[in-house]
Amino acid sequence: MPDYHDDLRLAHVLADAADAATMDRFKALDLKVETKPDMTPVSEADKAAEELIRGHLHRARPRDAILGEEYGVEGSGPRRWVIDPIDGTKNYVRGVPVWATLISLMEAGEEGFRPVVGVVSAPALNRRWWAAKGAGAFTGRSLTSATRMQVSKVGRIADASFAFSSLSGWEEQGRLDGLLDLTRACWRTRGYGDFWPYMMVAEGSVDLCAEPELSLWDMAAPAIVVQEAGGRYTSLDGEDGPGGGNAAASNGLLHDELLGYLNQRY
């Protein structure tokens, strides 16, 4: 199996640089915010962080392609870095500390591109999570100061904690009734949103989470962290990995039931 230690170390360097840039503008009274064509906000900090990461990658990995939320794709080849400079921009611009920079390396294989490295860095929470293929998932402040993560062993929906971002989007897909049935069946539900519930699944503090509509840059880094912690990360239709346009993550033991509720099979 390939060793991705150097790539993971680079991802931490990229996250360090992005953290410094985003924290410098967090809660700034003169922060500039625009509305994109899809009606979602983008701040000057989103753009600056992505530009910073791209600049580092151009120097350190000039042959690798880059896909980012704000500036699209550049380059081609079997290795592609996928970047969300600020996942949770709406939180960021309102001063809510739940946002993170997501950095992933994806490699081409027989089943298409799959994440092999992922870093999720939430500096306002003073938290960071990461994983590399075959090397496990960890949380801490650095590669040398980390705790290995493992998903929970909860095996019954009635005992499970379920997290989701919001109710919007589920009705459009005809999945709202299934989502509500799932919330009634679970022990506990909370609307944490964005990257955070996936990290809590990896840590074992949440057992299930799902979102109805996402982009690849939202999912690539969280997907490998959940998988390397022993969990499952699929689309709502059960396709493994972050390529399905939506997400369901679990400790693995409850995954079929999670998909069953969201697809009206329970």
Side-chain angles (χ1 to χ4, degrees), residues 45-65:
D46 292 80
K47 294 180 178 180
E50 184 167 323
E51 289 171 350
L52 191 64
I53 293 170
R54 285 175 180 267
H56 277 279
L57 286 172
H58 289 153
R59 294 187 293 272
R61 296 289 190 274
R63 296 182 180 180
D64 292 353

Side-chain angles (χ1 to χ4, degrees), residues 14-37:
L14 301 176
D16 288 343
D19 286 356
T22 51
M23 285 301 292
D24 183 60
R25 298 299 291 155
F26 184 47
K27 297 188 178 181
L29 297 178
D30 60 343
L31 181 72
K32 296 178 182 177
V33 182
E34 303 170 5
T35 301
K36 294 191 286 188

Side-chain angles (χ1 to χ4, degrees), residues 161-172:
S161 178
F162 171 56
F164 61 97
S165 57
S166 69
L167 294 178
S168 62
W170 294 101
E171 189 167 22
E172 295 172 12

